[in-house]
């Protein structure tokens, strides 16, 4: 592994890339425009010329090839380990920062020394809100969202889980924020060992925020920061594999967070997730809209 710079800037950015060349170039451009000096791109064995494109468009960025597809969390850990700043912006390559986002997120962590993670408002390319700030769902909400969310996106279970009944123009504490773009406090991130590498894709952001809360840290949402996210740019390259990975991650998180007598329901949860995996595969086969993740 390449050693981190001995003295990095106040904020570094880590992008996990997998065959997202055009998005990557635009993401890096938006980071530069927003004043981020140190950018590390961890590449999960892309074959689309991402390295050459980045070298041409932004030769000062560091490109770290992993040699294989490590998944999001493990690759992000590699990137964070190759920076030296107090705060690290972890993000997907298919995100575009709007002006002032880095400053707004940094200010949120500066104001609250117990806040370990803060996420910006995330918009879809059409300007609509992507609900990036969420609650940890209760069992009933999780079940309702899982089975109704694919066909009835405004059902009450999904509404509660995605906090669609909450004013997303206001900053405040939340249970978790999307790993599509989050600013993390290095000391807290390293205290917890970063993202759990057991998650290949999906839910690693939920898990990180849950463990932060267990350790006494808080998670915040700051809509003064804003990004545009083309949801699923990389995951759509292998949709069926990603659906399976998503449901495996959900089961892992349920197993980690379900305690006491409630663990008796875990076999039923596993069976239900198996059924939902098949339904999600079928849904993707006949519905070409981007999937509603988490």
């Amino acid at each position: 592994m390449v050693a981190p710079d001995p003295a990095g800037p106040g904020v570094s950015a880590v992008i996990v890339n997998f065959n997202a060349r055009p998005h990557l170039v635009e993401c890096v451009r938006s980071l530069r425009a927003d004043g981020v000096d140190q950018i590390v791109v961890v590449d999960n064995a892309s074959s689309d010329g991402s390295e050459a494109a980045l070298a041409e468009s932004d030769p000062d960025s560091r490109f770290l090839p992993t040699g294989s597809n490590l998944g999001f969390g493990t690759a992000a850990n590699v990137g964070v380990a190759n920076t030296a700043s107090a705060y690290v912006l972890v993000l997907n390559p298919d995100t575009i920062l709007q002006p002032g986002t880095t400053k707004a997120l940094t200010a949120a962590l500066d104001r609250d020394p117990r806040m370990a993670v803060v996420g910006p408002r995330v918009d879809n390319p059409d300007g609509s809100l992507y609900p990036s700030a969420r609650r940890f769902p209760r069992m009933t909400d999780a079940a309702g969202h899982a089975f109704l969310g694919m066909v009835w996106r405004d059902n009450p279970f999904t509404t509660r889980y995605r906090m669609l009944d909450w004013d997303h123009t206001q900053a405040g504490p939340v249970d978790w924020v999307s790993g599509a773009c989050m600013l993390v406090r290095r000391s807290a991130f390293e205290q917890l060992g970063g993202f759990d590498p057991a998650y290949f894709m999906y839910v690693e952001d939920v898990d990180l925020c849950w463990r932060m809360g267990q350790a006494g840290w808080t998670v915040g949402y700051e809509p003064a920061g804003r990004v545009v996210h083309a949801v699923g740019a990389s995951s759509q390259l292998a949709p069926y594999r990603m659906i399976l990975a998503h449901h495996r991650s959900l089961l892992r998180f349920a197993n980690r967070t379900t305690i006491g007598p409630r663990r008796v329901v875990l076999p039923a949860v596993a069976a239900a997730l198996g059924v939902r995996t098949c339904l999600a595969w079928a849904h993707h086969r006949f519905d070409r809209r981007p999937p509603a993740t988490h």
Side-chain angles (χ1 to χ4, degrees):
M1 181 183 297
V2 180
D5 293 339
V11 176
S12 303
V14 170
I15 305 170
V16 177
N17 182 65
F18 176 67
N19 287 328
R21 179 184 61 191
H23 295 286
L24 174 64
V25 169
E26 293 304 315
C27 177
V28 169
R29 185 172 291 128
S30 74
L31 287 166
R32 293 296 188 204
D34 207 39
V36 178
D37 293 323
Q38 184 184 36
I39 300 174
V40 175
V41 176
V42 185
D43 187 78
N44 278 331
S46 294
S47 58
D48 66 344
S50 289
E51 182 174 11
L54 184 65
E56 180 178 355
S57 63
D58 195 293
D60 291 331
S61 294
R62 298 179 67 188
F63 190 89
L64 301 181
T66 63
S68 63
N69 192 345
L70 302 182
F72 181 84
T74 300
N77 290 344
V78 170
V80 174
N82 280 277
T83 64
S85 56
Y87 301 155
V88 184
L89 191 65
V90 179
L91 66 166
N92 288 354
D94 54 0
T95 54
I96 302 293
L97 269 71
Q98 303 305 293
T101 294
T102 304
K103 182 178 179 180
L105 297 182
T106 300
L109 291 189
D110 285 343
R111 285 193 301 268
D112 186 351
R114 295 307 302 166
M115 185 180 291
V117 179
V118 62
R121 175 186 170 103
V122 179
D123 287 336
N124 296 306
D126 64 3
S128 62
L129 173 74
Y130 175 79
S132 59
R134 310 276 182 99
R135 297 184 176 101
F136 297 130
R138 297 173 296 182
M139 194 69 73
T140 52
D141 287 341
H145 167 68
F147 286 98
L148 294 178
M150 289 184 287
V151 295
W152 178 19
R153 295 198 174 191
D154 296 327
N155 70 79
F157 307 105
T158 297
T159 295
R160 281 193 293 270
Y161 166 53
R162 293 186 170 178
M163 297 178 65
L164 298 176
D165 53 353
W166 188 65
D167 185 359
H168 286 76
T169 66
Q170 299 297 315
V174 296
D175 285 347
W176 67 275
V177 292
S178 171
C181 181
M182 56 165 58
L183 185 68
V184 301
R185 188 183 299 274
R186 176 182 297 278
S187 59
F189 190 84
E190 291 181 345
Q191 176 190 333
L192 271 66
F195 290 105
D196 185 345
Y199 295 89
F200 176 72
M201 282 284 290
Y202 303 110
V203 191
E204 66 282 304
D205 45 7
V206 190
D207 178 84
L208 177 69
C209 292
W210 181 82
R211 288 187 289 122
M212 290 291 188
Q214 295 296 299
W217 296 95
T218 64
V219 175
Y221 169 75
E222 179 49 78
R226 201 170 186 131
V227 304
V228 176
H229 183 208
V231 180
S234 292
S235 62
Q236 286 304 294
L237 299 174
Y240 296 102
R241 182 187 178 199
M242 291 301 98
I243 288 170
L244 179 60
H246 184 191
H247 288 78
R248 283 177 171 169
S249 293
L250 289 170
L251 181 59
R252 182 175 298 278
F253 184 71
N255 186 62
R256 165 167 283 172
T257 59
T258 303
I259 60 175
R262 292 187 302 160
R263 290 189 65 82
V264 72
V265 306
L266 285 176
V269 171
L273 286 171
V275 171
R276 191 183 186 276
T277 299
C278 295
L279 292 174
W281 280 336
H283 186 259
H284 178 81
R285 172 68 177 81
F286 296 106
D287 185 350
R288 293 303 180 180
R289 291 177 300 175
T293 57
H294 295 326

